[in-house]
Amino acid sequence: MQRFSTPTEPQEQGWPHILAGRTTLISAPTGSGKTLAAFLACIDRLVRKALAGDLADRTEVLYVSPLKALGNDIQKNLEVPLGEILAMAGERGLLMPEIRTAVRTGDTLMPERRAMLKRPPHILVTTPESLYILLTADKSRAILRDVETVIVDEIHAVADDKRGAHLALSLERLAALTYKPPVRIGLSATQKPIEEVAHFLTGTSAAEATLNSNGSAARLEGAPFPSADPVIVNIGHKRTLDLAVEVPPMPLGPVASNEMWDEVYNRLVTLVEQHRSTLVFVNTRRMSERVAHQLGERIGEENVAAHHGSLSRKLRLAAEKKLKEGQVRVLVATASLELGIDVGTVDLVVQINSPRAIAVTLQRVGRSGHWRGAVPKGRLFCTTRDDLLECAALVRAIRQGDLDRLMIPESPLDVLAQQIVAECSAEEWSEDEMFALVRRAYSYRNLARATFDAILEMLSEGIAAKRGRYGAYIHRDRVNGKLRARRGARLAAITSGGAIPDNSLYAVVAEPDGVVVGTVDEDFAVESNRGDIMLLGNTSWMIRRIETNAGRVLVQDAHGAPPSVPFWRGEAPARTEELSAHVGTLREKISGMLPQTSPVGFSATQPEVAAMVGWLKEECGLDDSGAEQAIEYILQGRAVLGAVPTQTTVIAERFFDEGGGMQLVIHAPFGGRINKAWGLALRKRFCVGFNFELQAAATDNGLNIALAEQHSFPLADVFNFLQAATVQPILEQAALDSPIFATRWRWDANRALALLRFQNGKKVPAPIQRMRSDDLLASVFPDAAACFENIQGERQIPDHPLVGEVMKDVLTEAMDIDGLKFVLSGLADGRIRCLAVDTPVPSQFSHEILNANPYAFLDDAPLEERRARAVQMRRMLPESVLEEVGGLDPAAIAQVREEAWPDVRDADELHDVLHTLVALPEDRISKDE
């Protein structure tokens, strides 16, 4: 009480329920003390036991964090109050043993792990992946039996992907292991719908979870089920924020120029100098290194640090420490510092480009002013026109209190297979009891017994391939209904477990010390040469040797030599459905408030424009320049297309490129997942209908397909090429040809332990992983690797649980098949208006779609061969075009027709013309004679 004064609202409302032993979900803004609300109740219990002499060396509190950095931070922040409590007891003459904490993550050193097993800490801080290992390894299971409280922090960060399903099963395994099911406490600042997240934390009820296929109930002995009615302490996520959008002084375009980036860096330097400490968030690791390097050149490398997931534990901890202690003025980070980490008194958070999600923005801005009573301050930097609109919509969505909806995956079978192997390797189980355990996890509440049996069949029989049998880890006693692990099952589950996809990375090792400083992408490592200078951790390194078989890049300090920035390949996150809706609404609002305003003669002094500028400044955090550019962008696009693309208006635009072909752009701001599905299915439809492979790309705001001369059709027909009732089979066949399916097959096979990540104590090299993945896929799904000449009609997708899981991931995780069906049905029933426009020049809205990044491509053509790049684009359209667009001069038409008529000079040329034209108008024959 001396340190914290009075309790905060989440503490006052949460403590009674926590002390009553009820599952509690606390939702409160960042910096409101919700983490302390969970811990103080537990510390109070431990202190009372310590004073009474009942505190034994056993782990009673388990804290699960989705980020390693967050776990390290929590442990350090616990040491101070626990030390002060011990000192206060000593001052009062009370003999109290120390309350100990420990961290167990993938970064924890072996001596620390052994010490934890010999003398268990009272409070254990870990991650979902490390909790899974602790539940699987024999010695660590023993220290978890006494756990009484589980705290799941930032629960929203795992609930909406397979890490959440993995954690849900781990929590049920823990409940079955402990002497008494522990009290579960969930913490988050951004979760929607909160009721579903609360049930995700709790699990399903006993009656619902224990029904097996015969309708009888199977009960886990010694493990009564927790209450199915969690307590929700909802303080809300809204908090007073100082939030605004920063616009560079030069006009924005479809891509950011080097000159614009210089202006961004200079503005960043100004903001850094105006604040004590600044945290800069970027969306990629490459951008983190690049921004940190540029800032270091301007304000000194000693004042800047980089932080991202491809840096080693040592470098990440050093960067966090430097910011907390004020040794650096600015830290440039990715999502690795996004969640509730206490990085000291951060005065300002800067976000470069939209993070494409409302909740992510709230989390990141909340890192500033992360103490009671402070007002977080955030600035969003935009670098393109679409980015400007998205950042403006983001600020408006936050001010309106909106959040992204979490979509909890339904019964991921690859994760289920892994957890069954892990649990059976720890002890023998009956099939009915295992099914009941699995059904208790919220993600598996609807799991059918037939599907569960199919997974057991796969784990017991394995997958037959030319090299032998893959993934046979379980002895299945069908007579007695018992499950036991085969030899090697525990080792496979521990070394190759987890739900995070395995990407192809090379370790970067600094010589002569042999210290790992981070990782780089496989492609970057392979394309590099000895003597190249690369940037990692805001430090220049010279490559000495590349060991392909070992997956290592040996480097030495380059002493500040000019470096190249490494790249990491991956899938860009798509814009969320909620933010996409806000972008569409903002476009519609600007267009609706300026119905008669033309971009010709556009001026901010016009009364209606001035009113619109004022509204954008008030609602969206824009300055005068940003508001004017947003308005002009919408007006110019509307002048060419005749309308503005929104959630209720989809526009198909077609125009010529420099290669003589045509570009089709469908303007649909529904987000990348829907547009990627639409683009792939439409491309497949074109391929089948015209027998021609097309280049295509999909972004958050639309999709682009490059058409050739033979693709002639009425433009409005493009909206009828796909139907909601039949689009799924088309998309499935299209996905089989794309890298999306092969990549997710490898990920899911890794998660199901059909492909091992580690073997014989070493990590399996990425090329070997891909080879084994291809062999395994050919065994399960022969048509996927078959010669196309031997396949008649569509490829039949086999009824195999792992193939079905991969296809489900492709359709619902990488893409949004349900969202696409909703859009297509809206196009059919008129709920969504369809417009088709052939334009003389590309509209302003098409520019960024035509300049899409490689991750948006839906085919394998490289950047330099993209037909979409053969389009001339102007930032400002001539006034003559804007005034006359949509109208054609009859005299001009006659002139063009005359110029297009062949100039015949002799009989041979007449012969060639007749072959080309086939038929001639009578008036032309008499005229030529």
Side-chain angles (χ1 to χ4, degrees), residues 467 502-506 521-523 526 548 742-743 745-746 750 755 764-777:
R467 297 174 183 267
D502 199 13
N503 292 313
S504 303
L505 300 174
Y506 274 46
D521 189 86
E522 178 190 17
D523 287 351
V526 171
T548 305
T743 301
W745 166 260
R746 188 174 70 253
N750 279 146
L755 288 176
V764 178
I768 305 299
Q769 279 270 19
R770 288 192 291 271
M771 294 174 197
R772 292 179 178 176
S773 175
D774 292 342
D775 292 345
L776 186 65
L777 180 59

PDB file of all heavy atoms in Angstrom, residues 467 502-506 521-523 526 548 742-743 745-746 750 755 764-777:
ATOM      1  N   ARG A 467       9.951 -43.942 -47.806  1.00  0.00           N
ATOM      2  CA  ARG A 467      11.044 -43.978 -46.845  1.00  0.00           C
ATOM      3  C   ARG A 467      10.672 -44.734 -45.570  1.00  0.00           C
ATOM      4  O   ARG A 467      11.499 -44.902 -44.688  1.00  0.00           O
ATOM      5  CB  ARG A 467      11.455 -42.550 -46.454  1.00  0.00           C
ATOM      6  CG  ARG A 467      11.981 -41.733 -47.620  1.00  0.00           C
ATOM      7  CD  ARG A 467      12.221 -40.293 -47.179  1.00  0.00           C
ATOM      8  NE  ARG A 467      12.664 -39.464 -48.278  1.00  0.00           N
ATOM      9  CZ  ARG A 467      13.935 -39.238 -48.588  1.00  0.00           C
ATOM     10  NH1 ARG A 467      14.895 -39.807 -47.875  1.00  0.00           N
ATOM     11  NH2 ARG A 467      14.256 -38.460 -49.603  1.00  0.00           N
ATOM     12  N   ASP A 502       7.301 -23.080 -38.369  1.00  0.00           N
ATOM     13  CA  ASP A 502       8.750 -23.105 -38.486  1.00  0.00           C
ATOM     14  C   ASP A 502       9.144 -22.491 -39.816  1.00  0.00           C
ATOM     15  O   ASP A 502       8.818 -23.016 -40.874  1.00  0.00           O
ATOM     16  CB  ASP A 502       9.250 -24.554 -38.397  1.00  0.00           C
ATOM     17  CG  ASP A 502      10.721 -24.623 -38.060  1.00  0.00           C
ATOM     18  OD1 ASP A 502      11.267 -23.583 -37.652  1.00  0.00           O
ATOM     19  OD2 ASP A 502      11.321 -25.702 -38.200  1.00  0.00           O
ATOM     20  N   ASN A 503       9.856 -21.363 -39.783  1.00  0.00           N
ATOM     21  CA  ASN A 503      10.309 -20.715 -41.006  1.00  0.00           C
ATOM     22  C   ASN A 503      11.771 -21.059 -41.270  1.00  0.00           C
ATOM     23  O   ASN A 503      12.505 -21.456 -40.365  1.00  0.00           O
ATOM     24  CB  ASN A 503      10.143 -19.190 -40.900  1.00  0.00           C
ATOM     25  CG  ASN A 503       8.692 -18.779 -40.864  1.00  0.00           C
ATOM     26  OD1 ASN A 503       7.889 -19.242 -41.663  1.00  0.00           O
ATOM     27  ND2 ASN A 503       8.321 -17.917 -39.919  1.00  0.00           N
ATOM     28  N   SER A 504      12.184 -20.913 -42.508  1.00  0.00           N
ATOM     29  CA  SER A 504      13.542 -21.278 -42.911  1.00  0.00           C
ATOM     30  C   SER A 504      14.499 -20.152 -42.540  1.00  0.00           C
ATOM     31  O   SER A 504      14.590 -19.139 -43.243  1.00  0.00           O
ATOM     32  CB  SER A 504      13.577 -21.548 -44.415  1.00  0.00           C
ATOM     33  OG  SER A 504      12.648 -22.550 -44.763  1.00  0.00           O
ATOM     34  N   LEU A 505      15.193 -20.314 -41.438  1.00  0.00           N
ATOM     35  CA  LEU A 505      16.102 -19.290 -40.932  1.00  0.00           C
ATOM     36  C   LEU A 505      17.505 -19.865 -40.745  1.00  0.00           C
ATOM     37  O   LEU A 505      17.665 -21.037 -40.400  1.00  0.00           O
ATOM     38  CB  LEU A 505      15.599 -18.722 -39.607  1.00  0.00           C
ATOM     39  CG  LEU A 505      14.218 -18.038 -39.626  1.00  0.00           C
ATOM     40  CD1 LEU A 505      13.806 -17.665 -38.210  1.00  0.00           C
ATOM     41  CD2 LEU A 505      14.230 -16.810 -40.523  1.00  0.00           C
ATOM     42  N   TYR A 506      18.497 -19.033 -40.975  1.00  0.00           N
ATOM     43  CA  TYR A 506      19.897 -19.379 -40.723  1.00  0.00           C
ATOM     44  C   TYR A 506      20.360 -18.634 -39.475  1.00  0.00           C
ATOM     45  O   TYR A 506      20.098 -17.426 -39.332  1.00  0.00           O
ATOM     46  CB  TYR A 506      20.782 -18.973 -41.903  1.00  0.00           C
ATOM     47  CG  TYR A 506      20.884 -19.999 -43.013  1.00  0.00           C
ATOM     48  CD1 TYR A 506      19.756 -20.634 -43.514  1.00  0.00           C
ATOM     49  CD2 TYR A 506      22.109 -20.314 -43.579  1.00  0.00           C
ATOM     50  CE1 TYR A 506      19.840 -21.558 -44.544  1.00  0.00           C
ATOM     51  CE2 TYR A 506      22.220 -21.244 -44.617  1.00  0.00           C
ATOM     52  CZ  TYR A 506      21.078 -21.862 -45.085  1.00  0.00           C
ATOM     53  OH  TYR A 506      21.177 -22.784 -46.098  1.00  0.00           O
ATOM     54  N   ASP A 521      16.891 -14.801 -43.037  1.00  0.00           N
ATOM     55  CA  ASP A 521      16.117 -15.663 -43.920  1.00  0.00           C
ATOM     56  C   ASP A 521      17.040 -16.548 -44.754  1.00  0.00           C
ATOM     57  O   ASP A 521      18.144 -16.147 -45.137  1.00  0.00           O
ATOM     58  CB  ASP A 521      15.244 -14.811 -44.835  1.00  0.00           C
ATOM     59  CG  ASP A 521      14.244 -15.632 -45.626  1.00  0.00           C
ATOM     60  OD1 ASP A 521      13.165 -15.894 -45.096  1.00  0.00           O
ATOM     61  OD2 ASP A 521      14.567 -16.014 -46.766  1.00  0.00           O
ATOM     62  N   GLU A 522      16.573 -17.764 -45.038  1.00  0.00           N
ATOM     63  CA  GLU A 522      17.367 -18.707 -45.821  1.00  0.00           C
ATOM     64  C   GLU A 522      17.748 -18.125 -47.176  1.00  0.00           C
ATOM     65  O   GLU A 522      18.905 -18.246 -47.612  1.00  0.00           O
ATOM     66  CB  GLU A 522      16.575 -20.005 -46.016  1.00  0.00           C
ATOM     67  CG  GLU A 522      17.285 -21.041 -46.870  1.00  0.00           C
ATOM     68  CD  GLU A 522      16.380 -22.200 -47.252  1.00  0.00           C
ATOM     69  OE1 GLU A 522      15.150 -22.050 -47.137  1.00  0.00           O
ATOM     70  OE2 GLU A 522      16.902 -23.232 -47.670  1.00  0.00           O
ATOM     71  N   ASP A 523      16.804 -17.503 -47.858  1.00  0.00           N
ATOM     72  CA  ASP A 523      17.097 -16.951 -49.175  1.00  0.00           C
ATOM     73  C   ASP A 523      18.163 -15.870 -49.107  1.00  0.00           C
ATOM     74  O   ASP A 523      19.026 -15.771 -49.980  1.00  0.00           O
ATOM     75  CB  ASP A 523      15.821 -16.390 -49.812  1.00  0.00           C
ATOM     76  CG  ASP A 523      14.880 -17.480 -50.272  1.00  0.00           C
ATOM     77  OD1 ASP A 523      15.292 -18.659 -50.257  1.00  0.00           O
ATOM     78  OD2 ASP A 523      13.736 -17.166 -50.638  1.00  0.00           O
ATOM     79  N   VAL A 526      21.566 -17.650 -48.592  1.00  0.00           N
ATOM     80  CA  VAL A 526      22.044 -18.349 -49.787  1.00  0.00           C
ATOM     81  C   VAL A 526      22.519 -17.360 -50.851  1.00  0.00           C
ATOM     82  O   VAL A 526      23.488 -17.624 -51.570  1.00  0.00           O
ATOM     83  CB  VAL A 526      20.926 -19.265 -50.344  1.00  0.00           C
ATOM     84  CG1 VAL A 526      21.311 -19.827 -51.696  1.00  0.00           C
ATOM     85  CG2 VAL A 526      20.637 -20.392 -49.371  1.00  0.00           C
ATOM     86  N   THR A 548      25.734 -24.126 -45.386  1.00  0.00           N
ATOM     87  CA  THR A 548      24.377 -24.466 -45.819  1.00  0.00           C
ATOM     88  C   THR A 548      23.829 -25.666 -45.056  1.00  0.00           C
ATOM     89  O   THR A 548      22.669 -25.667 -44.615  1.00  0.00           O
ATOM     90  CB  THR A 548      24.369 -24.752 -47.328  1.00  0.00           C
ATOM     91  OG1 THR A 548      24.929 -23.634 -48.018  1.00  0.00           O
ATOM     92  CG2 THR A 548      22.954 -24.991 -47.824  1.00  0.00           C
ATOM     93  N   ALA A 742       1.228 -25.758 -50.145  1.00  0.00           N
ATOM     94  CA  ALA A 742       2.455 -26.494 -49.819  1.00  0.00           C
ATOM     95  C   ALA A 742       3.079 -25.998 -48.524  1.00  0.00           C
ATOM     96  O   ALA A 742       3.565 -26.796 -47.708  1.00  0.00           O
ATOM     97  CB  ALA A 742       3.453 -26.362 -50.967  1.00  0.00           C
ATOM     98  N   THR A 743       3.064 -24.683 -48.313  1.00  0.00           N
ATOM     99  CA  THR A 743       3.643 -24.124 -47.081  1.00  0.00           C
ATOM    100  C   THR A 743       2.848 -24.565 -45.864  1.00  0.00           C
ATOM    101  O   THR A 743       3.428 -25.001 -44.851  1.00  0.00           O
ATOM    102  CB  THR A 743       3.661 -22.588 -47.165  1.00  0.00           C
ATOM    103  OG1 THR A 743       4.443 -22.189 -48.296  1.00  0.00           O
ATOM    104  CG2 THR A 743       4.258 -21.988 -45.909  1.00  0.00           C
ATOM    105  N   TRP A 745       0.925 -27.140 -45.625  1.00  0.00           N
ATOM    106  CA  TRP A 745       1.086 -28.584 -45.439  1.00  0.00           C
ATOM    107  C   TRP A 745       2.326 -28.854 -44.582  1.00  0.00           C
ATOM    108  O   TRP A 745       2.273 -29.662 -43.652  1.00  0.00           O
ATOM    109  CB  TRP A 745       1.203 -29.294 -46.784  1.00  0.00           C
ATOM    110  CG  TRP A 745       1.698 -30.702 -46.654  1.00  0.00           C
ATOM    111  CD1 TRP A 745       2.968 -31.156 -46.867  1.00  0.00           C
ATOM    112  CD2 TRP A 745       0.936 -31.845 -46.220  1.00  0.00           C
ATOM    113  NE1 TRP A 745       3.054 -32.501 -46.599  1.00  0.00           N
ATOM    114  CE2 TRP A 745       1.811 -32.951 -46.203  1.00  0.00           C
ATOM    115  CE3 TRP A 745      -0.395 -32.021 -45.847  1.00  0.00           C
ATOM    116  CZ2 TRP A 745       1.401 -34.223 -45.833  1.00  0.00           C
ATOM    117  CZ3 TRP A 745      -0.804 -33.297 -45.481  1.00  0.00           C
ATOM    118  CH2 TRP A 745       0.085 -34.375 -45.471  1.00  0.00           C
ATOM    119  N   ARG A 746       3.418 -28.188 -44.873  1.00  0.00           N
ATOM    120  CA  ARG A 746       4.637 -28.394 -44.091  1.00  0.00           C
ATOM    121  C   ARG A 746       4.441 -27.934 -42.651  1.00  0.00           C
ATOM    122  O   ARG A 746       4.861 -28.607 -41.704  1.00  0.00           O
ATOM    123  CB  ARG A 746       5.811 -27.644 -44.742  1.00  0.00           C
ATOM    124  CG  ARG A 746       7.161 -27.957 -44.108  1.00  0.00           C
ATOM    125  CD  ARG A 746       8.315 -27.322 -44.869  1.00  0.00           C
ATOM    126  NE  ARG A 746       8.358 -25.872 -44.731  1.00  0.00           N
ATOM    127  CZ  ARG A 746       8.041 -25.019 -45.677  1.00  0.00           C
ATOM    128  NH1 ARG A 746       7.642 -25.460 -46.853  1.00  0.00           N
ATOM    129  NH2 ARG A 746       8.119 -23.710 -45.478  1.00  0.00           N
ATOM    130  N   ASN A 750       4.484 -30.480 -39.472  1.00  0.00           N
ATOM    131  CA  ASN A 750       5.385 -30.229 -38.337  1.00  0.00           C
ATOM    132  C   ASN A 750       4.621 -30.248 -37.022  1.00  0.00           C
ATOM    133  O   ASN A 750       5.052 -30.879 -36.046  1.00  0.00           O
ATOM    134  CB  ASN A 750       6.071 -28.868 -38.498  1.00  0.00           C
ATOM    135  CG  ASN A 750       7.260 -28.901 -39.431  1.00  0.00           C
ATOM    136  OD1 ASN A 750       7.535 -27.950 -40.144  1.00  0.00           O
ATOM    137  ND2 ASN A 750       7.989 -29.993 -39.449  1.00  0.00           N
ATOM    138  N   LEU A 755       6.310 -34.600 -39.456  1.00  0.00           N
ATOM    139  CA  LEU A 755       7.650 -34.180 -39.854  1.00  0.00           C
ATOM    140  C   LEU A 755       8.333 -33.595 -38.632  1.00  0.00           C
ATOM    141  O   LEU A 755       7.777 -32.702 -37.979  1.00  0.00           O
ATOM    142  CB  LEU A 755       7.582 -33.113 -40.953  1.00  0.00           C
ATOM    143  CG  LEU A 755       7.148 -33.550 -42.347  1.00  0.00           C
ATOM    144  CD1 LEU A 755       7.045 -32.322 -43.249  1.00  0.00           C
ATOM    145  CD2 LEU A 755       8.113 -34.554 -42.931  1.00  0.00           C
ATOM    146  N   VAL A 764      16.707 -30.113 -38.288  1.00  0.00           N
ATOM    147  CA  VAL A 764      16.661 -30.604 -39.665  1.00  0.00           C
ATOM    148  C   VAL A 764      16.772 -29.406 -40.601  1.00  0.00           C
ATOM    149  O   VAL A 764      15.979 -28.468 -40.502  1.00  0.00           O
ATOM    150  CB  VAL A 764      15.351 -31.373 -39.937  1.00  0.00           C
ATOM    151  CG1 VAL A 764      15.299 -31.842 -41.388  1.00  0.00           C
ATOM    152  CG2 VAL A 764      15.227 -32.553 -38.983  1.00  0.00           C
ATOM    153  N   PRO A 765      17.758 -29.384 -41.522  1.00  0.00           N
ATOM    154  CA  PRO A 765      17.912 -28.234 -42.431  1.00  0.00           C
ATOM    155  C   PRO A 765      16.652 -27.992 -43.249  1.00  0.00           C
ATOM    156  O   PRO A 765      15.909 -28.923 -43.583  1.00  0.00           O
ATOM    157  CB  PRO A 765      19.088 -28.651 -43.327  1.00  0.00           C
ATOM    158  CG  PRO A 765      19.834 -29.677 -42.543  1.00  0.00           C
ATOM    159  CD  PRO A 765      18.797 -30.398 -41.728  1.00  0.00           C
ATOM    160  N   ALA A 766      16.434 -26.715 -43.579  1.00  0.00           N
ATOM    161  CA  ALA A 766      15.217 -26.329 -44.306  1.00  0.00           C
ATOM    162  C   ALA A 766      15.057 -27.067 -45.633  1.00  0.00           C
ATOM    163  O   ALA A 766      13.944 -27.512 -45.955  1.00  0.00           O
ATOM    164  CB  ALA A 766      15.214 -24.812 -44.521  1.00  0.00           C
ATOM    165  N   PRO A 767      16.110 -27.235 -46.452  1.00  0.00           N
ATOM    166  CA  PRO A 767      15.907 -27.976 -47.710  1.00  0.00           C
ATOM    167  C   PRO A 767      15.458 -29.419 -47.477  1.00  0.00           C
ATOM    168  O   PRO A 767      14.606 -29.933 -48.213  1.00  0.00           O
ATOM    169  CB  PRO A 767      17.291 -27.921 -48.379  1.00  0.00           C
ATOM    170  CG  PRO A 767      17.977 -26.749 -47.765  1.00  0.00           C
ATOM    171  CD  PRO A 767      17.479 -26.692 -46.368  1.00  0.00           C
ATOM    172  N   ILE A 768      16.007 -30.067 -46.449  1.00  0.00           N
ATOM    173  CA  ILE A 768      15.605 -31.441 -46.134  1.00  0.00           C
ATOM    174  C   ILE A 768      14.163 -31.465 -45.657  1.00  0.00           C
ATOM    175  O   ILE A 768      13.393 -32.374 -46.001  1.00  0.00           O
ATOM    176  CB  ILE A 768      16.541 -32.058 -45.077  1.00  0.00           C
ATOM    177  CG1 ILE A 768      17.997 -31.970 -45.546  1.00  0.00           C
ATOM    178  CG2 ILE A 768      16.151 -33.490 -44.780  1.00  0.00           C
ATOM    179  CD1 ILE A 768      18.264 -32.707 -46.837  1.00  0.00           C
ATOM    180  N   GLN A 769      13.781 -30.452 -44.890  1.00  0.00           N
ATOM    181  CA  GLN A 769      12.385 -30.352 -44.438  1.00  0.00           C
ATOM    182  C   GLN A 769      11.439 -30.289 -45.632  1.00  0.00           C
ATOM    183  O   GLN A 769      10.410 -30.970 -45.677  1.00  0.00           O
ATOM    184  CB  GLN A 769      12.205 -29.086 -43.583  1.00  0.00           C
ATOM    185  CG  GLN A 769      12.648 -29.241 -42.152  1.00  0.00           C
ATOM    186  CD  GLN A 769      11.513 -29.736 -41.259  1.00  0.00           C
ATOM    187  OE1 GLN A 769      10.530 -30.282 -41.741  1.00  0.00           O
ATOM    188  NE2 GLN A 769      11.671 -29.567 -39.970  1.00  0.00           N
ATOM    189  N   ARG A 770      11.789 -29.475 -46.619  1.00  0.00           N
ATOM    190  CA  ARG A 770      10.910 -29.327 -47.782  1.00  0.00           C
ATOM    191  C   ARG A 770      10.843 -30.623 -48.584  1.00  0.00           C
ATOM    192  O   ARG A 770       9.780 -31.003 -49.083  1.00  0.00           O
ATOM    193  CB  ARG A 770      11.393 -28.164 -48.651  1.00  0.00           C
ATOM    194  CG  ARG A 770      11.131 -26.793 -48.032  1.00  0.00           C
ATOM    195  CD  ARG A 770      11.346 -25.686 -49.045  1.00  0.00           C
ATOM    196  NE  ARG A 770      12.759 -25.562 -49.393  1.00  0.00           N
ATOM    197  CZ  ARG A 770      13.623 -24.787 -48.742  1.00  0.00           C
ATOM    198  NH1 ARG A 770      13.211 -24.075 -47.702  1.00  0.00           N
ATOM    199  NH2 ARG A 770      14.877 -24.701 -49.124  1.00  0.00           N
ATOM    200  N   MET A 771      11.983 -31.295 -48.724  1.00  0.00           N
ATOM    201  CA  MET A 771      11.989 -32.571 -49.463  1.00  0.00           C
ATOM    202  C   MET A 771      11.101 -33.604 -48.771  1.00  0.00           C
ATOM    203  O   MET A 771      10.289 -34.283 -49.407  1.00  0.00           O
ATOM    204  CB  MET A 771      13.419 -33.106 -49.575  1.00  0.00           C
ATOM    205  CG  MET A 771      14.347 -32.264 -50.414  1.00  0.00           C
ATOM    206  SD  MET A 771      16.045 -32.906 -50.341  1.00  0.00           S
ATOM    207  CE  MET A 771      16.954 -31.489 -50.964  1.00  0.00           C
ATOM    208  N   ARG A 772      11.254 -33.722 -47.470  1.00  0.00           N
ATOM    209  CA  ARG A 772      10.444 -34.691 -46.725  1.00  0.00           C
ATOM    210  C   ARG A 772       8.975 -34.298 -46.751  1.00  0.00           C
ATOM    211  O   ARG A 772       8.092 -35.172 -46.793  1.00  0.00           O
ATOM    212  CB  ARG A 772      10.949 -34.784 -45.285  1.00  0.00           C
ATOM    213  CG  ARG A 772      12.343 -35.404 -45.156  1.00  0.00           C
ATOM    214  CD  ARG A 772      12.807 -35.440 -43.725  1.00  0.00           C
ATOM    215  NE  ARG A 772      14.122 -36.071 -43.606  1.00  0.00           N
ATOM    216  CZ  ARG A 772      14.810 -36.176 -42.467  1.00  0.00           C
ATOM    217  NH1 ARG A 772      14.301 -35.675 -41.345  1.00  0.00           N
ATOM    218  NH2 ARG A 772      15.987 -36.760 -42.454  1.00  0.00           N
ATOM    219  N   SER A 773       8.710 -33.008 -46.721  1.00  0.00           N
ATOM    220  CA  SER A 773       7.325 -32.548 -46.787  1.00  0.00           C
ATOM    221  C   SER A 773       6.697 -32.927 -48.126  1.00  0.00           C
ATOM    222  O   SER A 773       5.555 -33.401 -48.180  1.00  0.00           O
ATOM    223  CB  SER A 773       7.276 -31.026 -46.594  1.00  0.00           C
ATOM    224  OG  SER A 773       5.973 -30.533 -46.774  1.00  0.00           O
ATOM    225  N   ASP A 774       7.451 -32.748 -49.216  1.00  0.00           N
ATOM    226  CA  ASP A 774       6.938 -33.109 -50.541  1.00  0.00           C
ATOM    227  C   ASP A 774       6.701 -34.618 -50.636  1.00  0.00           C
ATOM    228  O   ASP A 774       5.687 -35.066 -51.208  1.00  0.00           O
ATOM    229  CB  ASP A 774       7.919 -32.666 -51.620  1.00  0.00           C
ATOM    230  CG  ASP A 774       8.002 -31.153 -51.749  1.00  0.00           C
ATOM    231  OD1 ASP A 774       7.072 -30.478 -51.270  1.00  0.00           O
ATOM    232  OD2 ASP A 774       8.998 -30.655 -52.304  1.00  0.00           O
ATOM    233  N   ASP A 775       7.626 -35.418 -50.087  1.00  0.00           N
ATOM    234  CA  ASP A 775       7.462 -36.874 -50.118  1.00  0.00           C
ATOM    235  C   ASP A 775       6.229 -37.301 -49.322  1.00  0.00           C
ATOM    236  O   ASP A 775       5.473 -38.185 -49.745  1.00  0.00           O
ATOM    237  CB  ASP A 775       8.707 -37.557 -49.548  1.00  0.00           C
ATOM    238  CG  ASP A 775       9.922 -37.382 -50.447  1.00  0.00           C
ATOM    239  OD1 ASP A 775       9.731 -36.993 -51.620  1.00  0.00           O
ATOM    240  OD2 ASP A 775      11.057 -37.614 -49.985  1.00  0.00           O
ATOM    241  N   LEU A 776       6.052 -36.671 -48.162  1.00  0.00           N
ATOM    242  CA  LEU A 776       4.906 -37.013 -47.318  1.00  0.00           C
ATOM    243  C   LEU A 776       3.598 -36.633 -47.998  1.00  0.00           C
ATOM    244  O   LEU A 776       2.623 -37.402 -47.968  1.00  0.00           O
ATOM    245  CB  LEU A 776       5.033 -36.296 -45.968  1.00  0.00           C
ATOM    246  CG  LEU A 776       3.988 -36.643 -44.912  1.00  0.00           C
ATOM    247  CD1 LEU A 776       4.116 -38.095 -44.487  1.00  0.00           C
ATOM    248  CD2 LEU A 776       4.138 -35.728 -43.694  1.00  0.00           C
ATOM    249  N   LEU A 777       3.567 -35.463 -48.642  1.00  0.00           N
ATOM    250  CA  LEU A 777       2.357 -35.033 -49.341  1.00  0.00           C
ATOM    251  C   LEU A 777       2.039 -35.977 -50.501  1.00  0.00           C
ATOM    252  O   LEU A 777       0.875 -36.318 -50.736  1.00  0.00           O
ATOM    253  CB  LEU A 777       2.531 -33.602 -49.845  1.00  0.00           C
ATOM    254  CG  LEU A 777       1.349 -33.002 -50.609  1.00  0.00           C
ATOM    255  CD1 LEU A 777       0.094 -32.992 -49.750  1.00  0.00           C
ATOM    256  CD2 LEU A 777       1.672 -31.585 -51.088  1.00  0.00           C
TER     257      LEU A 777
END
